[in-house]
Amino acid sequence: MKVLLIGNGAREHALCRSLSLDPDVTALYCAPGNAGIAEVAELHHVDPLDGGAVSALAVELGADLVVVGPEAPLVAGVADAVRAVGIPVFGPSGEAAQLEGSKAFAKDVMAGAGVPTARSYVCTTPAEVDEALDAFGAPYVVKDDGLAAGKGVVVTDDLAIAAAHANSCDRVVIEEFLDGPEVSLFAITDGVTVLPLQPAQDFKRALDDDEGPNTGGMGAYSPLPWADPKLVEEVLQTVLQPTVDELRRRGTPFSGLLYAGLAITSRGVRVIEFNARFGDPETQVVLARLKTPLAGILLAAANGTLADLEPLRWSDDAAVTVVIASHNYPGTPRTGDPITGLADVAVQDAPHAYVLHAGTKHDGDAVVSAGGRVLSVTATGKNLTQARDRAYTALGRIHLDGSQHRTDIAAKAAAGE
């Protein structure tokens, strides 16, 4: 099949890498892509938010499947535009993608589905904000209702910081703090059948020991040796399937990737948030462990035939990914800096370690930084310790002036193996 993937980050590079290894994929296109994706897919220029342009490109290329990577095009209805021209698409409708596009909508769906989540208030005025912050107390959890590229959430003990963030948003969700470790669990669904993937854990804070500001994610690992073996089945029964059933009942069926961000609290599993697409950087480690060819799974979700698939096959290996971010991230990043050492990783660390590009572009023959999160260095190994060692060894070959990365990705989990 011919596949067109929309997006330009490390998540899309991970997806393209898996699709390029699938023997059923005869042609792979990506729009707009990045310098790394160009090595495995043919790049095309398109505005990812323009449904008409994306669907026209899909028709022009004769695509048999379109995969929409990022959340903004999904919320903008790009998947609807592609479906309207009769091409199968992996990704929910604009209406269903409100599960990520609006925290308030997600809370309403969870209430209807009986899904366990934090108690919350939706606020639109300073008075409502003050009342909600007072009701829950510290630590304060304040979430911008709309899309914020993973950076719209503030968790703080400082009342002034919490109030300032809340009052900077048009509409905000303030909720109780959930204790316990966090887990990301992806599920592929066609709107009826729900197929959970393997769980992962990501690291949101910019600095070691979970210090510093929130980011889009600085690294991830899978599997989770400390997690209950029944966790995936429990989340399928109490969270994922009820949510998909509720959306279908409302007349807004959800097909594509349903991402549950979970807290394993002292009172049981609670949903922190839903996303409507593969998460970054968890996708990098989950796909590194998936042995079943990817294209057929995504096409089955698009066509409503997931129930006919064989059970997914997984590697027993562990996977770790470490994000290299540019100077000043998550503030306004410095861009245009040359990146060296990528060829060294390809020669010395493959196939166990490889680099997935996020914010990169070509400047003549050079690869330069073009965003906040620049690269995801991903590695596999017989356990997390070996995968970690391989990831950090590969990362050590790469130079990007002023760059930053965390040194503790998967360290605690590996120590407990």
Side-chain angles (χ1 to χ4, degrees), residues 31-69:
N34 62 38
I37 294 173
E39 296 174 11
V40 293
E42 182 180 300
L43 301 192
H44 290 264
H45 292 290
V46 79
D47 176 355
L49 298 175
D50 185 338
V54 171
S55 55
L57 177 62
V59 170
E60 179 191 329
L61 296 172
D64 301 299
L65 173 68
V66 174
V67 179
V68 183

Side-chain angles (χ1 to χ4, degrees), residues 305-396:
T305 57
L306 267 185
D308 301 335
L309 279 189
E310 297 284 316
L312 298 182
R313 293 178 293 113
W314 295 92
S315 166
D316 292 331
D317 282 355
V320 171
T321 194
V322 183
V323 170
I324 298 177
S326 56
H327 177 73
N328 199 43
Y329 178 79
T332 303
R334 195 173 82 200
T335 59
D337 289 311
I339 302 164
T340 59
L342 297 172
D344 296 335
V345 175
V347 170
Q348 299 187 55
D349 301 287
H352 301 298
Y354 48 90
V355 181
L356 298 168
H357 292 231
T360 68
K361 67 178 183 180
H362 279 113
D363 182 4
D365 292 335
V367 175
V368 301
S369 62
R373 291 186 296 171
V374 182
L375 303 167
S376 286
V377 183
T378 305
T380 56
K382 65 179 187 291
N383 54 31
L384 286 173
T385 300
Q386 187 179 50
R388 256 190 113 246
D389 288 346
R390 286 171 169 172
Y392 280 106
T393 296
L395 184 147

Side-chain angles (χ1 to χ4, degrees), residues 135-176:
F136 288 130
Y140 304 103
V141 182
V142 184
K143 300 180 176 182
D144 190 338
D145 181 52
L147 292 181
K151 290 177 277 187
V153 179
V154 166
V155 181
T156 179
D157 289 321
D158 189 316
L159 178 60
I161 291 174
H165 180 62
N167 290 319
S168 73
C169 306
D170 291 334
R171 193 177 191 216
V172 70
V173 174
I174 295 173
E175 62 186 38
E176 66 176 330

Side-chain angles (χ1 to χ4, degrees), residues 176-378:
E176 66 176 330
F177 177 77
L178 297 174
D179 64 334
E182 295 185 13
V183 174
S184 300
L185 185 62
F186 302 162
I188 290 172
T189 179
D190 56 11
V192 178
T193 301
V194 181
L195 197 62
L197 305 184
Q198 290 291 306
Q201 186 174 60
D202 78 332
F203 294 76
K204 285 281 187 230
R205 298 286 183 171
L207 307 175
D208 284 5
D209 299 319
D210 291 329
E211 300 285 340
N214 241 17
T215 72
M218 295 298 289
Y221 70 93
S222 178
L224 312 181
W226 49 267
D228 187 328
K230 299 179 188 146
L231 175 66
V232 173
E233 185 58 33
E234 178 191 345
V235 175
L236 174 63
Q237 299 299 333
T238 63
V239 174
L240 300 169
Q241 191 71 56
T243 299
V244 169
D245 292 346
E246 172 68 10
L247 284 162
R248 190 174 67 252
R249 186 188 70 74
R250 290 173 175 231
T252 53
F254 187 106
S255 76
L257 195 291
L258 177 59
Y259 164 134
L262 309 164
I264 313 301
T265 77
S266 53
R267 293 165 295 153
V269 174
R270 298 287 185 273
V271 175
I272 300 169
E273 65 174 355
F274 284 125
N275 290 335
R277 40 71 196 180
F278 279 101
D280 184 340
E282 301 98 318
T283 302
Q284 289 87 302
V285 291
V286 172
L287 292 185
R289 301 184 57 227
L290 179 65
K291 292 173 78 171
T292 304
L294 182 62
I297 308 171
L298 304 185
L299 185 63
N303 285 337
T305 57
L306 267 185
D308 301 335
L309 279 189
E310 297 284 316
L312 298 182
R313 293 178 293 113
W314 295 92
S315 166
D316 292 331
D317 282 355
V320 171
T321 194
V322 183
V323 170
I324 298 177
S326 56
H327 177 73
N328 199 43
Y329 178 79
T332 303
R334 195 173 82 200
T335 59
D337 289 311
I339 302 164
T340 59
L342 297 172
D344 296 335
V345 175
V347 170
Q348 299 187 55
D349 301 287
H352 301 298
Y354 48 90
V355 181
L356 298 168
H357 292 231
T360 68
K361 67 178 183 180
H362 279 113
D363 182 4
D365 292 335
V367 175
V368 301
S369 62
R373 291 186 296 171
V374 182
L375 303 167
S376 286
V377 183
T378 305

